[in-house]
Amino acid sequence: MTDPRLAVITGSTSGIGLGIAKALALDGYQIILNGLGSADSIEQARQAVQSVSPYETYFIGTDLTDPNAIDLAFSELIETLGPISILVNNAGMQFTAPIHKFPVDIWNQIIDLNLNASFHTIRSTLPGMLTQDFGRIINIASVHGLVASVNKAAYVAAKHGLIGMTKATALETAQTGVTCNAICPGWTRTPLIEEQILAKAQLMGVDFQEGGRQLLADKQPSQEFVTTDQLGALACFLCTDAAAQISGASLPVDGGWTAQ
Ligand code: NAD
């Protein structure tokens, strides 16, 4: 039996990252999870992936706002397990405030996590991908990498930047077995948007369920949340040979949001 290809998914202890990790595990990749949280919640996520994988599922607790920690963790990982074939840059955070009231420390944190971290993970993994002449880099951007919304300046700036970096990486790897693409989800029901649903519900004096419906009504023409399974399936497709000529793309999965 040949060794399985290794897939690192950042921010995969919940939400979209966990969905993508499960889908890649089911497709036969060996999974390395990453994220923050309690020991219990991390072990729960690891077990969820382990239960669908024949290979040992690993976890690295690297805080991705720390470039030195990323360098160290990835060099240790590659030294121990070998080159990484699939890199999914998914970890992200959100904060909403008007730009002139945006806390400077939170601005910096969002740029560090939602943009700079992907530079550092790509920098660490690309040499190994080039050596094995195969690699798939998938950056989880957002509709907010393509269009803006009010009160999300840091997030919108970071996600637009991530799409730019995706294109630059695709050009630099164009004549190799490596591709680099961005997936741009619309509203997807995960812990990241629960606060926004709550805020909407409070503003409108409605319950949580209706808050979610109103959030969708504002932006997402399908009026349905994207699911983490749908995003997992697209990530898996991007890893196939059929997708070898898709590179530098920003693929919306947004129920028509960016078609408006
Ligand atoms: P989530 O809050 O459920 O998951 C975020 C993950 O990132 C968690 O595993 C968390 O532990 C990890 N994380 C947070 N800070 C970290 C740090 N400093 N270092 C390492 N890991 C860290 O969020 P989600 O909704 O699943 O979002 C995942 C990605 O999808 C994000 O990049 C987000 O911007 C993007 N996205 C989400 C939506 C949505 O509607 N949920 C829409 C578009 C894009």
Side-chain angles (χ1 to χ4, degrees):
M1 197 166 100
T2 53
D3 286 342
R5 283 178 164 163
L6 293 174
V8 177
I9 304 97
T10 69
S12 45
T13 50
S14 81
I16 293 171
L18 182 56
I20 292 176
K22 278 193 227 158
L24 287 170
L26 281 165
D27 257 14
Y29 297 94
Q30 184 167 16
I31 304 300
I32 297 145
L33 299 169
N34 156 259
L36 307 179
S38 68
D40 278 357
S41 66
I42 288 167
E43 185 48 25
Q44 225 176 339
R46 206 195 64 78
Q47 283 297 338
V49 176
Q50 187 63 75
S51 66
V52 295
S53 173
Y55 308 109
E56 177 77 22
T57 299
Y58 295 104
F59 168 78
I60 52 168
T62 317
D63 179 344
L64 299 174
T65 58
D66 178 350
N68 294 327
I70 297 176
D71 287 353
L72 188 67
F74 275 73
S75 56
E76 276 178 9
L77 208 56
I78 292 164
E79 210 178 289
T80 316
L81 298 175
I84 289 153
S85 298
I86 314 294
L87 170 65
V88 183
N89 286 310
N90 166 79
M93 60 179 283
Q94 176 64 283
F95 186 85
T96 56
I99 192 161
H100 60 293
K101 293 183 182 161
F102 216 94
V104 173
D105 58 334
I106 297 182
W107 172 281
N108 289 333
Q109 224 182 320
I110 290 181
I111 301 295
D112 280 344
L113 181 62
N114 294 15
L115 176 60
N116 294 343
S118 299
F119 162 63
H120 294 290
T121 57
I122 291 171
R123 208 165 63 86
S124 299
T125 50
L126 188 53
M129 290 180 176
L130 293 173
T131 302
Q132 63 180 5
D133 200 28
F134 178 83
R136 296 286 188 263
I137 300 169
I138 301 171
N139 296 323
I140 306 303
S142 165
V143 284
H144 287 111
L146 300 167
V147 295
S149 294
V150 292
N151 296 340
K152 295 185 176 174
Y155 189 84
V156 168
K159 295 295 188 181
H160 274 69
L162 186 58
I163 286 182
M165 186 162 61
T166 301
K167 292 177 185 173
T169 308
L171 288 182
E172 291 180 25
T173 55
Q175 292 177 19
T176 74
V178 178
T179 68
C180 180
N181 292 289
I183 294 178
C184 303
W187 292 126
T188 309
R189 197 57 201 279
T190 70
L192 184 117
I193 63 152
E194 274 172 14
E195 235 175 83
Q196 294 175 69
I197 296 178
L198 265 178
K200 188 80 179 175
Q202 273 163 7
L203 187 75
M204 306 197 63
V206 295
D207 64 15
F208 187 79
Q209 195 78 357
E210 184 55 26
R213 268 196 287 274
Q214 290 300 327
L215 209 63
L216 289 170
D218 283 351
K219 299 274 189 181
Q220 199 145 298
S222 67
Q223 308 286 303
E224 282 180 32
F225 284 103
V226 176
T227 70
T228 57
D229 284 350
Q230 289 161 347
L231 296 169
L234 177 56
C236 285
F237 174 69
L238 289 173
C239 295
T240 64
D241 288 342
Q245 288 301 315
I246 303 176
S247 199
S250 310
L251 304 162
V253 185
D254 64 2
W257 181 327
T258 52
Q260 297 169 100

